Amino acid sequence: MASGAYRNGVAKGSMKVERSAVAVNPSAKSSSGVKVKPAPSLTSGVRRSTTGLLGGSGKDDASVSGRVRVAVRLRPRNAEEMVADADFADCVELQPELKRLKLRKNNWDSDTFEFDEVLTEFASQKRVYEVVAKPVVESVLDGYNGTVMAYGQTGTGKTFTLGRLGEEDTADRGIMVRSMEDILADVSPESDSVFVSYSQLYMESIQDLLDPTNDNISIVEDPKTGDVSVPGATLVEIRDQQSFVELLRLGEAHRFAANTKLNTESSRSHAILMVHVKRSVRGKEELLSSENGNGSHMVKSFRPPLVRKGKLVVVDLAGSERIDKSGSEGHTLEEAKSINLSLSALGKCINALAENSPHVPVRDSKLTRLLRDSFGGTARTSLVVTIGPSPRHRGETTSTIMFGQRAMKVENMVKIKEEFDYKSLARKLDIQLDKLIAENERQQKTFQDQINRIASDAQNQISEAERNYSDALENERLQYERDYKETIKRLEVQWATNQRKRDDDKLIEPKKECLDMGLGTSSSEQIAELKQSLQKEISLRQAAEEQITTLRGEVVQWRRAEAVANTEVIKLRKKLEDEEKQKVKLEEEITILGSQLLRLSFEADETRRSLDRGDSGKILTGLDSLMSQVRHLQLKDSGNGQKASIAKLFEQVGLQKILSLLESEDAEVRIHAVKVVANLAAEEANQEKIVEAGGLTSLLMLLRGSEDEMIRRVAAGAIANLAMNESNQELIMGEGGISLLSMTAADAEDPQTLRMVAGAIANLCGNDKLQTKLRGEGGIKALLGMVRCGHPDVLAQVARGIANFAKCESRASSQGSKLGRSLLIDDGALPWIVQNANNEASPIRRHIELALCHLAQHEVNAKDMISGGALWELVRISRDCSREDIRTLAHRTLISSPTFQAELRRLRIEC
């Protein structure tokens, strides 16, 4: 069997000796004893960028400088060393409280080295993890790439430090196990995911430790981002800690190991554990709304969920060794040569990066290609170098320590990895769209049913009324007709009777001419009675005809009521038609929503392609900032070409509708609306329209009443953009804008919010008419209060505001205004100005130098500036400033001030 064998695999006749291990922590010092400046902490703000390459020298505003952190850990003496070195002192002396290590040359001389952390042989595995790997793991959970790597001579405890499973004693758990415990404890199983791959680099060939048949895996580099990956390796999703431990146990069983004189079970390959963490930024808010039947509302927000992707790489390097000491031969010798060559290539890359060499030999080894993001790239890297105490191996210990010292000089540009989850947004919008369509159809059906029911009821009532009145009219007509016929019949009978009597009287009249004349009187009375009866019948007939006329009038009225009811039915039908039109209009709006979603997807793609070329001159935020940068590039490239997306949205939706969304009860809608307003305010052509439409008042109300940090940040950015226009500055001051900005500055902690507020106040500081009022309402105090943040962008805005304020005071003094001591000095700004006059950041330094020059032009400030140390800074600026105009201004100010000239003569300094 060859000398290289599987670790924990086929029996080799000896067990691996448990060894103490080593750790890392950020706070490094150089070998010369001078403390190295610590890297700034990772910010939590959203930064979008592509992955940097190993050896890349480019820097941009979307990255944070982070030096490689290096710790050294001393392994305790093993049994062999206790016997062989019993008469010799250890070659290493540790001073952990000073983070210092002394390497003895002889009994009277030693070399001193300083590291970020120095861990003794008694350091626990928990402490090693907390000072070395935990900051890196936390960065990975925040969306950054991170690397933890162990380097050292074979047998010094690298595998113990990184890969110890701790099954017998949980206190012995290594960095791999403890890192996964923290990751699983922080992620959400519903919205987040954790995937792991475990491979080894053996004899310049990448092999999958989870699937030994998967051999010679290729390395793939993304041509756009430069990100390095091994897509051929087995990727396993991790849900619990036990499954991860099983995965490590399986991988260790397949890793190559061999028995050498320096280590009974020496690793013959570099083990690489990659942990891919994908997290949803808004967590549970990204889940789809619950299905509670409320599906009639419109889509609340078009903002896609934000997803952060972090990658943790844990590298257990094979131990460097000398052939004469390890006793390697045959296949083991070839393995040792391959290991030493790859480690040598890694050392060359680190040397080139430490010396800022224009060429970094990344492609000399597959190991350096895999680690190109860890050294000089975008990952936060912690390196633990392990050493032994034996004086026999002093040469190897020295080499390991010098490797760590050179690694401490490597600067990485740490960048966040995040993207928009458009698939989740599309699913969410599809569900909401389906709910809207279903709700609309249900409402339309309900409305149609109501219309049909009302029409049916009206028709039934009309039919019933017509039937009742028709029956009543017919009954009245028949009754009057019967009465009329009976009256006529009775009159006819009466008339016939009278006629017969009259005929009888005519026959007997000649015979009874002499009868009593009373008979004639009686006949006349009967005729009069008949006439009276006839007259009465005529009156009754007329009354019947009048009643018939009245009934006919009532029938006409009922027919008119029927016509009115028909009119109402027509109106209802017209209303139904209007509802149909509204339905069509709603469907058109739904189509527009879909097109806007597609446009947003297209704009996001355009944003990612043009992000590194964007204009950062104006204060923008979030997604709208990217869209505005795209618009800027399009206008720059195409002149009067196609309008950008925000302009199209402005034309289609209208300013009033956008401003009305600022008062929405839905926080997501308010956030989206205020971002659109902020982007519109970035263009000077839109500022007057926004102010006239009441947009400034709405933004100030948001700043006053909103508790949402993002809304306040974007609202402050929009106000800062509006404050660039002089006519708007007086309006902002008149509506209490400075007081609101000052309160926001006092309450906010987020650097981005403070940057927006400081930018707005800085713009207002440039108005000569508003200086007294601005200072009276706490503007200068608010600016100085924001320096507590310490963020370079915030300090740059504060310095710009102070420079603007000092320039206005200087201009007023030159115009003959009688001013007292500077308001900046009265409010205590001078110490901070002097302290930052030589700041490393050029924007801060340039503004502070201008502020000092303008303050010095007013003679009444001279004594305070001399006592505050500003005179020395003015002399330095007049001699060493990189900008000629500022250097000339400082020199002219010094020679024109009698007070300064007298002090310079007293100090015997020539200007």
Side-chain angles (χ1 to χ4, degrees):
M1 183 178 180
S3 60
Y6 288 114
R7 181 190 304 275
N8 300 333
V10 179
K12 295 174 60 64
S14 62
M15 296 296 293
K16 183 176 180 179
V17 178
E18 294 185 358
R19 296 161 291 176
S20 181
V22 191
V24 194
N25 190 32
S27 172
K29 301 180 182 179
S30 67
S31 60
S32 62
V34 179
K35 186 173 182 180
V36 180
K37 182 179 179 181
S41 59
L42 296 176
T43 61
S44 60
V46 175
R47 301 180 182 272
R48 301 173 178 84
S49 62
T50 57
T51 305
L53 301 180
L54 181 67
S57 60
K59 298 183 179 180
D60 53 46
D61 293 337
S63 60
V64 177
S65 176
R67 179 175 55 77
V68 174
R69 323 299 292 178
V70 181
V72 62
R73 186 182 189 186
L74 178 65
R75 171 181 59 78
R77 285 191 178 190
N78 55 33
E80 180 184 354
E81 291 170 344
M82 288 181 180
V83 175
D85 302 332
D87 297 331
F88 300 95
D90 292 345
C91 66
V92 176
E93 179 185 349
L94 303 183
Q95 296 176 334
E97 65 281 356
L98 300 177
K99 299 182 180 179
R100 184 179 296 168
L101 177 149
K102 288 186 177 181
L103 183 62
R104 298 182 186 277
K105 293 182 178 179
N106 45 50
N107 291 335
W108 56 87
D109 193 12
S110 63
D111 292 328
T112 301
F113 303 92
E114 295 185 2
F115 289 90
D116 293 306
E117 194 69 37
V118 174
L119 300 170
T120 67
E121 64 270 27
F122 305 108
S124 66
Q125 290 282 75
K126 180 179 181 181
R127 171 165 171 73
V128 171
Y129 169 73
E130 289 179 348
V131 301
V132 175
K134 190 167 185 177
V136 178
V137 172
E138 292 173 349
S139 299
V140 171
L141 290 172
D142 287 336
Y144 297 87
N145 286 349
T147 301
V148 179
M149 188 170 68
Y151 177 89
Q153 182 188 9
T154 183
T156 53
K158 299 183 299 299
T159 302
F160 182 88
T161 299
L162 297 182
R164 187 71 172 179
L165 300 182
E167 294 178 298
E168 297 83 5
D169 185 358
T170 56
D172 288 341
R173 289 170 299 166
I175 287 176
M176 290 182 181
V177 177
R178 294 177 185 268
S179 298
M180 185 55 65
E181 286 179 349
D182 282 357
I183 291 173
L184 292 177
D186 197 69
V187 299
S188 172
E190 293 80 10
S191 58
D192 304 336
S193 62
V194 180
F195 287 87
V196 171
S197 67
Y198 197 18
S199 56
Q200 67 176 351
L201 178 59
Y202 176 72
M203 301 286 286
E204 284 300 299
S205 173
I206 300 177
Q207 301 176 359
D208 194 342
L209 289 175
L210 304 181
D211 182 9
T213 60
N214 190 8
D215 197 357
N216 199 19
I217 302 173
S218 59
I219 301 175
V220 177
E221 298 179 18
D222 191 327
K224 295 182 179 179
T225 65
D227 193 13
V228 178
S229 61
V230 282
T234 302
L235 205 58
V236 180
E237 184 174 8
I238 300 299
R239 293 285 186 177
D240 55 77
Q241 186 68 16
Q242 184 59 35
S243 60
F244 178 70
V245 173
E246 293 295 333
L247 181 144
L248 289 182
R249 185 184 295 110
L250 176 63
E252 286 298 308
H254 294 146
R255 188 176 177 186
F256 284 101
N259 185 5
T260 68
K261 292 181 180 180
L262 296 177
N263 191 356
T264 58
E265 197 170 350
S266 174
S267 301
R268 314 310 291 170
S269 66
H270 308 298
I272 302 106
L273 176 71
M274 292 187 179
V275 182
H276 303 268
V277 181
K278 180 179 179 181
R279 305 191 69 190
S280 176
V281 174
R282 290 186 287 179
K284 295 182 179 179
E285 295 179 2
E286 287 298 317
L287 298 177
L288 297 176
S289 58
S290 59
E291 299 180 357
N292 55 2
N294 183 18
S296 62
H297 59 82
M298 296 296 293
V299 177
K300 291 184 178 180
S301 173
F302 293 109
R303 179 183 178 86
L306 198 60
V307 176
R308 288 180 178 173
K309 295 182 178 180
K311 180 173 70 175
L312 174 64
V313 180
V314 182
V315 182
D316 181 11
L317 294 176
S320 61
E321 61 184 45
R322 291 187 179 179
I323 306 303
D324 56 344
K325 290 187 178 182
S326 64
S328 300
E329 57 184 15
H331 186 71
T332 307
L333 177 60
E334 296 301 321
E335 293 173 341
K337 290 180 180 179
S338 177
I339 292 170
N340 289 338
L341 284 174
S342 62
L343 293 178
S344 176
L346 178 60
K348 290 179 182 178
C349 289
I350 291 178
N351 288 341
L353 289 171
E355 296 172 0
N356 293 324
S357 173
H359 172 67
V360 181
V362 178
R363 297 188 173 274
D364 287 358
S365 169
K366 287 189 177 180
L367 177 62
T368 54
R369 290 182 63 192
L370 285 171
L371 297 178
R372 69 185 306 166
D373 193 42
S374 304
F375 292 95
T378 62
R380 181 174 185 177
T381 301
S382 286
L383 171 66
V384 54
V385 293
T386 59
I387 60 176
S390 176
R392 291 180 298 160
H393 305 305
R394 186 185 181 282
E396 288 80 357
T397 301
T398 302
S399 175
T400 300
I401 290 173
M402 296 308 299
F403 180 90
Q405 291 287 295
R406 290 190 296 271
M408 289 173 64
K409 299 179 182 179
V410 177
E411 290 280 348
N412 290 350
M413 301 306 296
V414 183
K415 299 180 182 180
I416 199 167
K417 300 282 186 175
E418 60 183 21
E419 63 185 24
F420 292 116
D421 191 356
Y422 287 100
K423 292 183 179 179
S424 175
L425 176 63
R427 289 195 301 270
K428 180 178 179 181
L429 292 181
D430 285 342
I431 293 175
Q432 291 180 342
L433 188 62
D434 292 339
K435 288 184 177 180
L436 285 174
I437 294 173
E439 178 67 16
N440 180 64
E441 291 178 351
R442 186 185 65 81
Q443 289 182 350
Q444 289 294 333
K445 187 176 183 302
T446 302
F447 181 75
Q448 184 64 41
D449 293 342
Q450 290 179 350
I451 293 296
N452 293 338
R453 181 174 54 79
I454 292 173
S456 178
D457 292 344
Q459 187 63 37
N460 293 335
Q461 291 178 0
I462 292 173
S463 300
E464 183 69 20
E466 288 179 348
R467 188 165 54 253
N468 292 338
Y469 279 97
S470 178
D471 293 343
L473 183 62
E474 183 66 21
N475 293 334
E476 290 290 335
R477 187 184 67 77
L478 293 176
Q479 181 65 33
Y480 281 111
E481 186 176 352
R482 286 195 297 271
D483 293 343
Y484 177 73
K485 288 180 179 180
E486 290 177 357
T487 302
I488 294 298
K489 185 177 180 180
R490 190 169 60 252
L491 288 175
E492 288 178 351
V493 172
Q494 186 68 35
W495 181 81
T497 302
N498 292 335
Q499 187 67 29
R500 284 196 301 271
K501 288 180 179 180
R502 198 177 296 114
D503 291 341
D504 292 340
D505 289 341
K506 288 180 179 180
L507 291 176
I508 64 175
E509 185 176 356
K511 297 179 179 181
K512 296 181 178 180
E513 290 179 355
C514 296
L515 291 176
D516 196 336
M517 294 303 293
L519 293 173
T521 302
S522 176
S523 177
S524 298
E525 292 176 356
Q526 290 179 354
I527 292 172
E529 290 178 358
L530 289 173
K531 288 182 179 180
Q532 186 177 359
S533 298
L534 181 60
Q535 188 64 37
K536 189 182 294 183
E537 291 296 332
I538 292 172
S539 299
L540 291 173
R541 182 174 180 180
Q542 290 177 351
E545 289 177 353
E546 290 176 356
Q547 290 182 356
I548 291 172
T549 303
T550 302
L551 290 174
R552 286 176 179 173
E554 292 178 355
V555 169
V556 171
Q557 292 178 356
W558 278 104
R559 287 178 178 173
R560 289 176 180 174
E562 179 183 3
V564 172
N566 290 335
T567 303
E568 291 295 330
V569 172
I570 292 172
K571 289 181 179 180
L572 290 174
R573 288 176 179 172
K574 185 176 180 181
K575 187 175 181 180
L576 179 61
E577 292 176 356
D578 293 340
E579 290 295 331
E580 290 289 341
K581 293 179 181 179
Q582 290 293 333
K583 177 182 177 182
V584 174
K585 186 176 180 181
L586 180 60
E587 291 175 350
E588 293 175 353
E589 290 181 356
I590 291 172
T591 303
I592 293 173
L593 292 179
S595 65
Q596 289 178 350
L597 173 61
L598 294 176
R599 186 168 67 252
L600 282 174
S601 301
F602 172 77
E603 291 168 359
D605 293 337
E606 291 294 325
T607 299
R608 286 193 292 269
R609 287 193 292 269
S610 61
L611 181 60
D612 291 333
R613 300 182 289 112
D615 182 10
S616 59
K618 295 184 178 180
I619 299 176
L620 302 173
T621 59
L623 176 62
D624 300 312
S625 174
L626 300 181
M627 293 168 66
S628 295
Q629 291 181 11
V630 173
R631 182 172 187 269
H632 174 78
L633 291 174
Q634 290 175 345
L635 293 176
K636 178 179 178 182
D637 296 337
S638 60
N640 296 325
Q642 186 179 5
K643 295 182 179 180
S645 59
I646 292 297
K648 290 183 180 178
L649 183 63
F650 178 39
E651 294 175 358
Q652 293 176 359
V653 178
L655 181 59
Q656 288 293 344
K657 188 170 182 180
I658 295 175
L659 293 178
S660 66
L661 295 178
L662 295 175
E663 303 176 1
S664 172
E665 296 180 357
D666 186 358
E668 289 293 332
V669 174
R670 289 201 304 274
I671 291 173
H672 188 71
V674 74
K675 286 187 177 183
V676 173
V677 174
N679 280 276
L680 293 174
E683 297 296 333
E684 186 176 356
N686 300 329
Q687 292 178 356
E688 183 177 357
K689 298 178 182 178
I690 293 174
V691 174
E692 291 178 353
L696 176 59
T697 303
S698 299
L699 290 171
L700 291 173
M701 290 178 63
L702 283 178
L703 203 61
R704 178 187 296 110
S706 178
E707 297 180 358
D708 188 282
E709 183 74 17
M710 180 174 290
I711 291 180
R712 292 197 298 171
R713 176 167 66 249
V714 181
I719 294 172
N721 288 336
L722 293 176
M724 297 176 67
N725 190 316
E726 184 175 355
S727 61
N728 296 335
Q729 292 173 354
E730 296 183 6
L731 295 176
I732 295 173
M733 292 292 294
E735 296 189 21
I738 280 294
S739 299
L740 293 175
L741 291 169
S742 300
M743 288 189 295
T744 304
D747 296 338
E749 296 295 337
D750 180 63
Q752 299 303 321
T753 303
L754 293 175
R755 180 170 69 90
M756 299 300 177
V757 175
I761 297 178
N763 290 337
L764 295 173
C765 286
N767 194 316
D768 298 345
K769 304 175 183 177
L770 306 177
Q771 287 208 307
T772 303
K773 186 174 182 180
L774 184 142
R775 187 251 184 170
E777 295 184 4
I780 298 176
K781 292 289 186 182
L783 274 178
L784 295 177
M786 284 184 280
V787 302
R788 71 184 187 277
C789 172
H791 195 281
D793 293 343
V794 178
L795 298 182
Q797 294 298 329
V798 173
R800 185 171 69 86
I802 290 176
N804 289 343
F805 199 95
K807 183 177 181 180
C808 290
E809 287 186 333
S810 173
R811 188 161 51 236
S813 176
S814 64
Q815 292 174 356
S817 300
K818 294 183 179 180
L819 301 176
R821 190 172 65 168
S822 171
L823 298 178
L824 290 172
I825 297 178
D826 288 342
D827 279 355
L830 186 58
W832 185 84
I833 294 174
V834 174
Q835 181 183 356
N836 288 271
N838 199 19
N839 195 289
E840 294 181 358
S842 59
I844 301 174
R845 183 176 64 255
R846 183 178 70 253
H847 290 306
I848 291 299
E849 290 174 345
L850 283 173
L852 279 173
C853 293
H854 289 306
L855 286 174
Q857 289 180 347
H858 194 23
E859 186 68 18
V860 74
N861 299 329
K863 292 184 178 180
D864 291 296
M865 295 184 70
I866 291 173
S867 62
L871 177 59
W872 296 103
E873 294 299 334
L874 281 171
V875 173
R876 179 192 60 79
I877 294 170
S878 68
R879 295 176 177 177
D880 302 332
C881 182
S882 59
R883 288 186 50 170
E884 183 178 359
D885 56 340
I886 299 177
R887 190 168 63 250
T888 303
L889 179 61
H891 180 75
R892 186 170 63 248
T893 301
L894 286 173
I895 63 176
S896 63
S897 171
T899 305
F900 286 152
Q901 284 296 307
E903 181 66 15
L904 290 174
R905 285 194 297 271
R906 187 183 70 82
L907 298 174
R908 298 181 180 179
I909 297 176
E910 294 184 1
C911 181

